[in-house]
Structures are given as C-alpha cells and as structure tokens.
Amino acid sequence: MGKTAEAIAEGVSIASAAARLAIRNRILVETIAHDEPFEATAFAPFARETLVGLADEQDEAAALIKRQRKRAWGKFTEPDGTHDYRDRDMRNLRKRGRQYSGVAQALRRMADDPHVVRTLIEQSRDAAWGDVEANLQRRLRVEGMRPELDPDYDRMRAARMQSIRLVDLPRLAAHKRHHDEAETDAAPAAEPAAPSPRVSGIDVSELES
C-alpha cells in the first residue's frame, strides 16, 4: 500500500503539472491575445473541467487495465508482445488499476475544492507572468544590446556579414533588375520622326534658311 500511495501521489503531481500548463496557456490567450483583464473566478470553470478531464483519462486507463486482467486470467503461455499479459501479470495489473483509480479520485476531489482550484489558478497565473517577463527581458536584451556588451558579437559578426554577401546583396540586385525591366517594359515607344515635306521631289525644308 505504501508503494501504491507513492505512485498515486506521483500521478497526482504529474496531472497537476499538466493542469497548470493548460490553465497557464488559457490565461495567456485570454489576457494577452484577447486583451481581457485577469479574474481568477473567470478561470475556475476551465480549471475544474481540466481536472475532471484528467480524472476521466485515469478512469479510462483503469478500465483498460481491468479488461487486460480479464484477458490475462488463466493464460500461462508465453506472451507475443509487451501488452500481451498472462496470469503471472495479474498482481501488477491489479496494482496499476488501483493506482489509476486513486489518481482519478484525488483529481475529482481537487476539482470539487474551491481552495485547491484557486491555488491552481494562481500558480498558473504566476507561471504565465513569468513567461511574459522572460520574453520581455529577452527582447530588451536584444534591442538594447551594444556590440561591446555582446559576448558573441565578434563570433557572429563573420556569419552575419557572409549572410549579407551571399543572401541579402544578391536578393537586392535581383530585385533591382526586376524593377528596372518592369520600368523599361512600361515606358511608351518613341514616335518616329515626321518625314520632311517634299514638293515635286524637292525637300522643302532645305529651302528654309
């Protein structure tokens, strides 16, 4: 029972981490993408649904174990694969079934406890704000970085210059050629010069002086 309790506690810890991740993502979407104010009570339904959904997954796993136990009972031949259980696996399967059911029950109790739900939301909020803060700090470091303060400046400068020579400059030259060709094609053709007036085969313009 001690090992079973430890396994249940570990399963609850993993499920709680998954719930915090899901709630954190929801907080980021609602407060940043949708520009909504943070209200813990607004996320309570989603937090409860997340916990119940994780509990349902554990119950489904326990039901699968029960079916596998029924198929394994009375079989003493060699298994054909990893999940081809035999009678000698009954004890381990029973233990795993209890663990899955125990985790499911614990998660449902958490979902029914307003204090636990609120604590989960606050932890998720702290994680969300931590992500935002880390992103802002990275952006500020990049935008405010001076060459003498960047330890990788000299090492990366050669790569940046090579990228300019091999990628940016040829792309700019190709763009200019395309622009020049487009202007040439769009320019109107020059009108031919009007022929000089002639009278009886004589170029009249030659008489003008």
Side-chain angles (χ1 to χ4, degrees), residues 113-131:
D113 189 334
H115 176 70
V116 172
V117 171
R118 184 174 182 84
T119 300
L120 193 62
I121 293 172
E122 291 175 350
Q123 293 172 346
S124 302
R125 177 200 59 191
D126 293 341
W129 294 163
D131 288 347

Side-chain angles (χ1 to χ4, degrees), residues 169-189:
L169 291 179
R171 184 180 298 172
L172 181 61
H175 177 74
K176 186 177 185 303
R177 286 196 303 270
H178 178 75
H179 182 268
D180 293 343
E181 291 172 358
E183 286 189 345
T184 301
D185 294 340

